[in-house]
Amino acid sequence: MIYNPNWFGNLLRQQSLSFLGAFLFLVIISRLFYLQVIKSDSLLVESHKNAIRDIPIIPIRGNMFDRNGILVVDSYPYYSLTVTPKDYKHDADELVSNLLNIDTLILRKKISDARRYSPFVPSVIYRDIAFSQMVSLEEYGFKLSGINYRIETKRNYPAQMHGTHIFGYLSEVNQKMIEKQPDIYNLGDITGGSGLEKFYENTLRGIKGHEFWLVNATGQLIGSWEKEEKNIPAINGDDLYLTVDDGLQGYTEKLMAGKTGGAVAIDPRNGEILALVSKPDFDLNALSGVKSSSIWRDLVNDQTKPLFNRATLTRYPPGSTFKPFVAAVALQEGVITEDSKLVCNGIFYFGNRGFKCHGGRHGAIDVRTAIQKSCNSFFYQLMTKINLDKLHNYGMEFGMGQTTGIDIFEQRNGLIPSTEYYDRVYGKRGWTKGFLISLGIGQGEVGVSPIQSAAYASVIANGGVFHQPHFVRRIFHKQTGTFEDMPISSKPVSVSAKNMAIVREGMRRVVQAGTAVSAALPDVEVSGKTGTAQNPHGKDHAWFICFAPYDNPEIAISVMVENAGFGAVAALPVARQMLKYHFYGRNFILDEEMKMGVMVLSETGDVIMSREDSLRVAD
Amino acid sequence: MGLTKRFPIDWVIVVPVLILISFGTLAIYTSTINSDVSENFYRQVMWVVISIALAISLFFINLKTFQILAILLYGVSIVLLIAVLVVGKEVYGSKSWLFIGPIGIQPSELTKYTAILMVASYLSIQKSGRSAMIQLIIAMAFLLFPVGLILLQPDTGTALVFIGMSVPLLFWLGLDDLFTFMLVSPVLSAVFAFFNFYLFIGFVILGIFFIFYRKSLLLQAFYYITTNIAAGFGTVFFIQQVLLPHQRKRLEILMDPFIDPKGAGYNVIQSEVAIGSGGLFGKGFMHGTQTQLGFLPKQWTDFIFCVISEEYGFVGSMILILTFGVLMWRLLNLASRIKQRFASIFLMGMLLVISIHLFINLGMTMGLLPIIGIPLPFVSYGGSSMLTFMAFTGTALAIYAQRKEENL
């Protein structure tokens, strides 16, 4: 029997239903316990993720000051547009792209990148929006859930110097950096892309703060969370105090305007870089905030390569500026003494190959005169006697064969060849001593950049100590309010003071009565050496190195101008003006320009600056 | 004093119901007062007042009158169910609302009460000449006839309440336990197989023990095994082989809402987050972020439990659940002890309606069941639901006042 009215509501039925009910209650209560007690913590995190937006506060990037305390780099605020993808609705695509005047596809790509990064975190999609754009976005605010603003800072260069290749540009962090340091970088953050900005990124960046906001389900910010008690303020980046002299740097940039090459001035007493210019360069302002892809593309494709730091990345034969070094090595190695005389017949034969000297026959001359007259024959002869590997090792010590260790990333090894180098390039028996002869006059397989050349000039200037060239003297720590002095790395070279003195004397004579008499200044005794790097691809590159004053040098300079011919003509005038600026000051230069009307820098009458330009120098 | 003697009040029903209504009103206040539907709170207060008035009126009605009233009310609700199909207003894809001026009612809600009243009334009137079996079938027809109309709206949630209620009610009325089990088990097998294959196997094995414990016939055992295996494997086969990928995906979301956290899975995830983030003691009155910031759509209706658990935590939720437990225990207790058939059947029906709503609603909000939109009795926002459950309550109190018991 399947149905019996007498069973109605009997004990079995009461008990079965009680049991079933109890069982279901148990299931529900267990689940409740699981959610509210066991999984509570993680679900609380989820609910915070829902309701609380962590809005990063971007710290203000550290400033930079020149050696005299002049502010050369600071930041000013601008507004950036951020999107929180979770709250953003794609219906707004068209409106936003119209208001920002960008392509809808680009906008979508930016938002999908942001979503991939994190749907909950606001990512920057557009930088430096104009005030009018902001007003229109505010007007439409009710439609634009997930769109917010963030105050960011843009670099500003208030002083005379541009410092393009010193400061470097800023750029947006790439995916790799975010993956490597996810605690530090979010999508759309700004980071140093080159120069000091990149090298001192960790110092300049500062530490992000956090502001916690409540948002509702449509993504609107409702108010602060926990009365702002959990907010963490940002810590602004530390300041850099540079070795660079704003006035000298700015003036050198103007002197080099229109040229292609590099000029570097170093304090030979400690390796402090007073000026470093590479031309052509570009306006850092163009890359200080929004890096517009078209500007970037133009810079990359520019035939004159303005992004390329010629002061540190080039490798050209030093030409005759190499001779003092070869002389120092020869003296130290005992190849010659200070009184040894070698004969110049106008041509030097090695085997049956003749190497010409310029300026006719120099006769029997000692090392000082050889430097003074830049006699090629003398140095050819030295080169036949100097051990190649010894030359290489000295070159390393003088800061030429390797990177100088300056505090920007853009640098390159120089080339001072060794036996190992020739073996590698020509094979073990593929080369003879004849290959080396021209090294004596700084031609052939030898190469340096202006920074290496300047470091080398410093070593001669200070009588034999290599100080690592550097840009930063000290760092001001914002949090502690203290200065941290940057250590200077120095190493004496293995040339005796006596031998260095002989070489220095030779260089003094170059300016007194040699190939660089036009570098002489009243009151300040200048020593120097011109050079011309043979260029198989075109016009020769001009070199000039110098230091002053002779007795207690405080500045060493190297100037290289590409495709400009003789060093004395193209490079020397730049160095001379730099020296004038350094020793006589700004007003002297202004007076001089006033008198001349136009600025004439070389005996050849080469006008490198128009009257308008010179007026700009005056401002 | 004479009134309370003539009409004794069952406080074990009244107090839990008032607690539940308070919980609900508070939660509706919390979740709507700061939103654009803040008038919902006042509407609900109005409905509570009307519903209590209704319950008090029903309390004074004679049980005999109820048995006659049942036919009238049932007839009216059937008419309304037909009317709603013709002139009803479509809300969220189902035509379940009738509007009289600004006031909307859902006839399908009210029918829960009238159908149970009808079944209780029909079965309690002694009829001669008809076999008990036939009477039972007719009673079930009264109960299940509205289901057809409700499915036409379509309102599957409410239909499920009727169907789910009918089986335990049949059992209560005297259907053989083994037969009831054989009736239900294939459905359970299919459901279990859908969620978890091992659950299904375990259920079938347990069932076999039960069958042999009940010393069933070999034929019955054979019937049991084949139907259950067929139901279970059939479900699996259907899901794996017959359904198209996108249809299968929709089913998978039921089981794992995180497959589609923004779409179909959104409510379940947000609901679990709301409940779980409440923790032991909750975030406090008006401090639930999920609630206050509107992460749960329409949380004042079917997802009201989330509001309560987020703001009052495990402790508050347990008080709510145990209050339901007390009420349900009391209804089972009365249904067992009161010997009038009308009273017992009605109370059992009321118990089953409340139980099914409670378990489905909580199971849904806690992510144990797919989303089936039915309200939490006495707690969720909604006039029709409040009216219905208060009609149940008023009638139950009337039954208590006029009961005949053996040992009370």
Side-chain angles (χ1 to χ4, degrees):
Chain A
M1 203 195 293
I2 58 163
Y3 174 57
N4 186 344
N6 295 330
W7 293 337
F8 174 83
N10 66 9
L11 197 62
L12 172 75
R13 275 150 188 79
Q14 294 169 22
Q15 283 171 344
S16 309
L17 290 180
S18 308
F19 179 79
L20 183 66
F23 173 75
L24 291 174
F25 264 105
L26 196 70
V27 170
I28 290 292
I29 291 170
S30 312
R31 177 68 177 176
L32 189 68
F33 185 79
Y34 171 75
L35 287 177
Q36 290 203 296
V37 181
I38 296 172
K39 260 188 93 177
S40 174
D41 288 345
S42 69
L43 288 172
L44 188 63
V45 171
E46 286 297 317
S47 88
H48 283 173
K49 258 197 215 165
N50 259 346
I52 297 162
R53 286 289 171 278
D54 175 357
I55 312 274
I57 313 166
I58 306 298
I60 297 173
R61 214 171 161 80
N63 296 329
M64 297 188 209
F65 297 89
D66 93 330
R67 65 186 295 113
N68 301 313
I70 297 168
L71 180 67
V72 290
V73 180
D74 67 347
S75 305
Y76 67 90
Y78 66 93
Y79 288 91
S80 283
L81 208 64
T82 63
V83 66
T84 309
K86 181 184 179 299
D87 305 328
Y88 181 78
K89 300 198 172 44
H90 276 286
D91 321 353
D93 278 356
E94 202 143 326
L95 185 64
V96 174
S97 60
N98 279 341
L99 287 172
L100 295 177
N101 198 18
I102 57 170
D103 196 78
T104 314
L105 287 176
I106 293 173
L107 180 77
R108 289 215 181 107
K109 163 103 174 51
K110 289 199 175 235
I111 289 167
S112 73
D113 285 349
R115 192 186 302 281
R116 208 170 313 121
Y117 173 65
S118 166
F120 301 102
V121 175
S123 293
V124 173
I125 50 165
Y126 193 84
R127 291 211 136 79
D128 202 4
I129 64 170
F131 185 70
S132 59
Q133 289 174 318
M134 218 174 98
V135 170
S136 5
L137 280 166
E138 281 288 352
E139 277 171 18
Y140 289 100
F142 64 94
K143 279 186 190 170
L144 303 173
S145 65
I147 296 275
N148 279 304
Y149 308 103
R150 176 198 283 184
I151 295 179
E152 291 192 312
T153 55
K154 189 174 179 172
R155 277 312 205 187
N156 181 43
Y157 308 96
Q160 296 172 50
M161 62 183 285
H162 290 127
T164 309
H165 290 101
I166 300 176
F167 304 143
Y169 54 83
L170 295 175
S171 59
E172 274 185 27
V173 288
N174 56 35
Q175 199 57 42
K176 229 163 116 191
M177 294 178 78
I178 297 171
E179 277 161 23
K180 218 170 149 193
Q181 295 176 291
D183 305 339
I184 293 176
Y185 294 115
N186 293 346
L187 186 72
D189 279 358
I190 287 292
T191 183
S194 71
L196 293 172
E197 297 278 18
K198 187 175 187 182
F199 197 90
Y200 290 98
E201 164 69 12
N202 292 339
T203 306
L204 293 167
R205 183 181 53 232
I207 300 166
K208 266 185 202 163
H210 298 271
E211 239 172 47
F212 299 100
W213 287 79
L214 276 181
V215 294
N216 65 11
T218 58
Q220 289 160 314
L221 299 180
I222 301 290
S224 60
W225 180 60
E226 304 254 312
K227 300 187 187 90
E228 301 185 1
E229 277 166 16
K230 298 261 164 73
N231 289 2
I232 303 164
I235 297 167
N236 291 341
D238 295 339
D239 295 338
L240 298 184
Y241 281 76
L242 307 183
T243 62
V244 177
D245 180 339
D246 173 53
L248 181 65
Q249 171 75 22
Y251 185 53
T252 310
E253 282 167 7
K254 282 164 185 162
L255 291 172
M256 290 291 286
K259 295 177 162 45
T260 302
V264 178
I266 294 180
D267 185 336
R269 294 169 296 189
N270 47 27
E272 292 181 352
I273 299 171
L274 302 172
L276 182 140
V277 175
S278 166
K279 286 281 175 178
D281 55 9
F282 57 96
D283 185 2
L284 278 179
N285 284 304
L287 301 182
S288 63
V290 212
K291 189 160 88 184
S292 129
S293 56
S294 71
I295 290 176
W296 181 248
R297 206 169 39 238
D298 289 350
L299 282 173
V300 169
N301 295 336
D302 191 329
Q303 289 301 308
T304 66
K305 294 191 178 169
L307 289 168
F308 181 64
N309 189 345
R310 288 172 164 82
T312 60
L313 288 170
T314 48
R315 192 156 87 184
Y316 293 128
S320 298
T321 63
F322 200 55
K323 285 172 181 166
F325 166 69
V326 176
V329 174
L331 287 164
Q332 189 64 27
E333 287 297 303
V335 171
I336 48 165
T337 67
E338 60 176 309
D339 301 321
S340 307
K341 288 194 171 163
L342 300 174
V343 178
C344 165
N345 292 322
I347 188 154
F348 169 73
Y349 285 97
F350 187 80
N352 38 18
R353 203 176 147 203
F355 296 86
K356 263 188 168 173
C357 192
H358 53 75
R361 302 161 55 139
H362 292 115
I365 50 171
D366 68 355
V367 63
R368 293 183 183 88
T369 317
I371 293 171
Q372 177 191 345
K373 304 210 161 148
S374 201
C375 173
N376 287 352
S377 297
F378 188 91
F379 290 96
Y380 291 142
Q381 291 173 60
L382 292 190
M383 206 50 222
T384 59
K385 295 169 188 159
I386 293 173
N387 177 305
L388 178 64
D389 292 322
K390 286 269 163 67
L391 185 84
H392 171 79
N393 292 340
Y394 283 107
M396 295 300 229
E397 286 182 1
F398 276 71
M400 288 188 286
Q402 57 195 344
T403 57
T404 55
I406 44 168
D407 41 357
I408 57 173
F409 288 108
E410 297 80 19
Q411 48 180 328
R412 183 181 179 191
N413 285 334
L415 172 63
I416 307 294
S418 60
T419 319
E420 188 268 333
Y421 170 83
Y422 281 101
D423 285 346
R424 197 178 64 235
V425 175
Y426 298 102
K428 269 240 182 284
R429 284 195 186 77
W431 59 282
T432 66
K433 269 214 145 175
F435 280 54
L436 313 180
I437 299 300
S438 57
L439 293 181
I441 59 160
Q443 307 289 3
E445 279 147 322
V446 55
V448 295
S449 62
I451 181 73
Q452 287 159 337
S453 169
Y456 147 62
S458 296
V459 173
I460 297 173
N462 66 32
V465 185
F466 173 80
H467 298 295
Q468 188 179 69
H470 54 276
F471 286 109
V472 176
R473 263 183 163 174
R474 47 189 193 166
I475 292 170
F476 179 67
H477 293 292
K478 292 266 171 66
Q479 256 182 304
T480 56
T482 53
F483 283 98
E484 179 200 345
D485 287 317
M486 298 306 280
I488 302 171
S489 138
S490 307
K491 207 181 162 196
V493 297
S494 334
V495 178
S496 69
K498 183 170 163 280
N499 289 335
M500 287 301 282
I502 298 164
V503 173
R504 294 176 86 246
E505 234 172 276
M507 283 178 74
R508 173 161 68 171
R509 287 205 214 158
V510 172
V511 178
Q512 285 172 342
T515 53
V517 284
S518 59
L521 294 180
D523 313 332
V524 182
E525 197 171 8
V526 181
S527 314
K529 185 76 196 78
T530 57
T532 305
Q534 287 163 8
N535 177 14
H537 309 291
K539 217 175 159 192
D540 292 344
H541 306 311
W543 279 104
F544 184 67
I545 60 170
C546 64
F547 58 89
Y550 177 75
D551 288 326
N552 197 5
E554 54 187 65
I555 185 166
I557 296 174
S558 169
V559 177
M560 183 276 292
V561 184
E562 289 180 16
N563 312 114
F566 292 117
V569 178
L572 185 149
V574 173
R576 187 191 56 206
Q577 288 305 109
M578 289 169 74
L579 288 173
K580 276 189 194 166
Y581 189 98
H582 181 78
F583 288 109
Y584 305 146
R586 182 174 180 73
N587 290 335
F588 178 86
I589 299 288
L590 295 178
D591 287 349
E592 188 183 65
E593 285 176 355
M594 291 278 246
K595 271 179 225 154
M596 293 187 165
V598 292
M599 203 165 74
V600 181
L601 279 177
S602 71
E603 281 77 3
T604 56
D606 206 357
V607 179
I608 66 158
M609 278 184 144
S610 66
R611 186 167 182 73
E612 287 141 38
D613 280 333
S614 66
L615 284 176
R616 250 196 287 135
V617 175
D619 67 34
Chain B
M1 283 300 112
L3 195 67
T4 44
K5 264 211 171 128
R6 269 188 60 207
F7 295 100
I9 296 166
D10 187 4
W11 293 106
V12 190
I13 289 177
V14 173
V15 172
V17 164
L18 290 179
I19 292 176
L20 293 174
I21 290 176
S22 312
F23 257 116
T25 318
L26 213 58
I28 290 162
Y29 178 82
T30 305
S31 57
T32 61
I33 203 72
N34 287 331
S35 74
D36 50 355
V37 286
S38 54
E39 80 274 8
N40 279 4
F41 170 70
Y42 304 104
R43 280 167 167 263
Q44 182 70 0
V45 170
M46 178 195 83
W47 279 115
V48 166
V49 172
I50 293 173
S51 302
I52 289 176
L54 173 72
I56 292 171
S57 324
L58 291 173
F59 174 63
F60 292 110
I61 292 176
N62 192 290
L63 287 195
K64 290 267 183 280
T65 318
F66 268 117
Q67 284 169 288
I68 294 154
L69 205 60
I71 301 164
L72 181 69
L73 291 176
Y74 185 76
V76 168
S77 57
I78 293 298
V79 170
L80 288 177
L81 278 180
I82 294 166
V84 86
L85 292 175
V86 183
V87 294
K89 192 171 176 241
E90 193 169 308
V91 178
Y92 299 122
S94 74
K95 243 185 175 181
S96 51
W97 290 82
L98 265 188
F99 277 87
I100 303 153
I103 298 168
I105 55 158
Q106 288 169 286
S108 54
E109 289 291 323
L110 304 179
T111 312
K112 287 168 190 167
Y113 172 73
T114 57
I116 284 169
L117 197 66
M118 184 66 204
V119 170
S121 172
Y122 174 77
L123 285 178
S124 60
I125 296 167
Q126 289 303 317
K127 286 166 283 287
S128 49
R130 271 191 194 143
S131 79
M133 194 65 197
I134 298 290
Q135 287 187 42
L136 187 72
I137 289 167
I138 291 170
M140 280 305 114
F142 281 130
L143 187 62
L144 295 178
F145 175 63
V147 172
L149 292 171
I150 290 166
L151 280 174
L152 285 176
Q153 296 181 357
D155 180 355
T156 15
T158 307
L160 207 67
V161 173
F162 280 92
I163 296 166
M165 185 173 69
S166 61
V167 176
L169 189 63
L170 278 171
F171 176 58
W172 183 254
L173 292 173
L175 198 69
D176 179 52
D177 54 339
L178 186 65
F179 183 79
T180 311
F181 180 71
M182 300 232 277
L183 201 66
V184 178
S185 63
V187 179
L188 289 178
S189 279
V191 172
F192 286 146
F194 168 69
F195 279 106
N196 186 317
F197 192 74
Y198 298 102
L199 202 67
F200 153 67
I201 297 291
F203 172 73
V204 173
I205 291 169
L206 267 177
I208 291 171
F209 280 119
F210 175 69
I211 296 265
F212 281 98
Y213 168 76
R214 284 302 316 270
K215 299 186 178 67
S216 67
L217 301 170
L218 206 61
L219 193 67
Q220 287 171 324
F222 178 75
Y223 167 81
Y224 167 77
I225 292 167
T226 43
T227 50
N228 277 275
I229 299 266
F233 279 90
T235 306
V236 173
F237 177 80
F238 183 75
I239 292 169
Q240 299 294 336
Q241 304 295 327
V242 179
L243 287 183
L244 297 169
H246 71 275
Q247 293 171 317
R248 195 154 58 233
K249 174 136 190 174
R250 223 174 292 160
L251 283 177
E252 281 164 0
I253 291 168
L254 292 183
M255 300 168 65
D256 183 4
F258 288 90
I259 294 172
D260 186 12
K262 296 227 151 198
Y266 179 80
N267 280 2
V268 185
I269 292 171
Q270 295 304 336
S271 157
E272 280 184 35
V273 166
I275 295 171
S277 64
L280 208 52
F281 300 106
K283 296 177 185 171
F285 177 61
M286 298 292 286
H287 279 87
T289 52
Q290 293 282 105
T291 305
Q292 293 301 319
L293 305 171
F295 286 98
L296 273 168
K298 302 259 167 208
Q299 50 200 337
W300 49 89
T301 60
D302 299 342
F303 282 94
I304 192 100
F305 181 69
C306 300
V307 179
I308 292 163
S309 5
E310 188 186 19
E311 300 207 340
Y312 310 118
F314 183 68
V315 173
S317 312
M318 279 305 290
I319 291 173
L320 181 89
I321 290 175
L322 291 179
T323 307
F324 270 109
V326 169
L327 176 64
M328 284 156 67
W329 173 83
R330 181 59 173 175
L331 290 175
L332 180 66
N333 181 265
L334 290 179
S336 306
R337 285 158 69 185
I338 297 176
K339 289 303 160 191
Q340 292 139 296
R341 268 175 82 84
F342 170 75
S344 179
I345 294 169
F346 179 83
L347 290 172
M348 179 46 64
M350 175 180 175
L351 169 63
L352 291 173
V353 171
I354 292 176
S355 309
I356 287 173
H357 275 87
L358 177 74
F359 293 128
I360 290 184
N361 184 283
L362 296 194
M364 158 186 88
T365 51
M366 291 191 221
L368 289 173
L369 293 174
I371 291 184
I372 299 159
I374 59 171
L376 191 61
F378 304 108
V379 183
S380 285
Y381 172 79
S384 305
S385 167
M386 186 56 78
L387 270 180
T388 307
F389 285 106
M390 287 311 283
F392 271 120
T393 308
T395 313
L397 289 174
I399 286 169
Y400 176 82
Q402 302 166 45
R403 73 196 183 278
K404 286 184 201 137
E405 290 184 51
E406 281 170 351
N407 316 310
L408 208 79

